[in-house]
Amino acid sequence: MAQTPRMVLDYWFETLTPKDWFMKNEAVDQDIRDKFLDLHLALSREVSAEWRADADARLALILVFDQFPRNLFRDSPHAFATDGLALKEARVAVATGLDQSVDANRRAFFYMPFEHSERIEDQKRSVELFEALGNENYLSYAKSHYEVIDTHGRFPHRNAILGRENTPAEEDYLAQPGAGF
């Protein structure tokens, strides 16, 4: 059976809990691999009109490109390989107001591709979007991401995974309790 945007949304928002979204859990990672790896790979090659048909479909596509890879390919460069695709879709959604037509609890996932970017302009946009959303928890994370990019120009916690050398300042940052995301 072909997977649909509705199946992605139901899984992410109904099957999983917010704790599942942001906490490392091998069982959740494996479940996402079992259910959605083939879909992620197929959409990475080609996106059919169904995945851009409306706000919900575009949100599902963004989840497949932005959130699922962090589970599918944890601790691998592939975890970030479709971030650019997610950001492209998020930019379109925000520019056309699609983000405004979904529930505020789901809307944050339109904005996370901006937060995951290592470009300061995207980080500034992330903070603006999360300020407008009005959720203090998400805004706090957006500001933290912004500060890391503003200070280091990249996410130091990705360096080892991406084969990048740490600067001395990044070494100091990474030595702090709770560094990284």
Side-chain angles (χ1 to χ4, degrees):
M1 166 173 61
Q3 291 171 308
T4 64
R6 174 61 40 213
M7 293 167 75
V8 169
L9 295 176
D10 287 349
Y11 179 80
W12 192 255
F13 294 110
E14 305 302 327
T15 301
L16 298 182
T17 67
K19 182 179 176 185
D20 294 325
W21 300 338
F22 303 117
M23 300 293 288
K24 183 176 182 177
N25 180 325
E26 181 52 43
V28 171
D29 290 354
Q30 188 59 53
D31 196 41
I32 292 174
R33 277 191 292 276
D34 292 345
K35 288 178 169 64
F36 297 107
L37 176 60
D38 290 342
L39 175 67
H40 171 79
L41 295 173
L43 288 173
S44 297
R45 287 188 299 275
E46 181 179 2
V47 178
S48 67
E50 171 188 23
W51 292 88
R52 294 181 174 127
D54 58 25
D56 283 341
R58 181 104 33 179
L59 177 58
L61 181 60
I62 290 169
L63 289 169
V64 170
F65 285 158
D66 185 63
Q67 296 296 312
F68 282 4
R70 285 158 168 74
N71 299 92
L72 293 167
F73 309 112
R74 191 177 299 280
D75 300 323
S76 160
H78 296 294
F80 315 111
T82 55
D83 280 7
L85 297 174
L87 185 58
K88 176 185 167 204
E89 299 298 334
R91 282 188 176 123
V92 170
V94 170
T96 59
L98 286 176
D99 60 314
Q100 298 300 311
S101 65
V102 302
D103 181 82
N105 293 323
R106 295 182 177 201
R107 195 174 306 148
F109 289 95
F110 279 114
Y111 306 154
M112 285 186 196
F114 294 93
E115 184 178 277
H116 291 153
S117 172
E118 290 188 322
R119 295 183 60 232
I120 194 67
E121 298 83 7
D122 295 329
Q123 289 297 320
K124 288 176 184 174
R125 187 67 174 131
S126 168
V127 171
E128 293 169 0
L129 292 165
F130 281 111
E131 282 177 343
L133 184 63
N135 180 306
E136 288 302 316
N137 187 47
Y138 283 131
L139 178 58
S140 174
Y141 277 100
K143 288 178 177 179
S144 295
H145 282 73
Y146 172 85
E147 289 169 9
V148 171
I149 296 300
D150 190 46
T151 301
H152 301 287
R154 60 188 183 176
F155 292 118
H157 65 277
R158 293 183 185 177
N159 289 350
I161 295 168
L162 296 174
R164 303 186 302 206
E165 297 267 336
N166 289 332
T167 66
E170 289 171 336
E171 290 285 348
D172 291 343
Y173 166 74
L174 291 169
Q176 297 174 24
F181 302 99

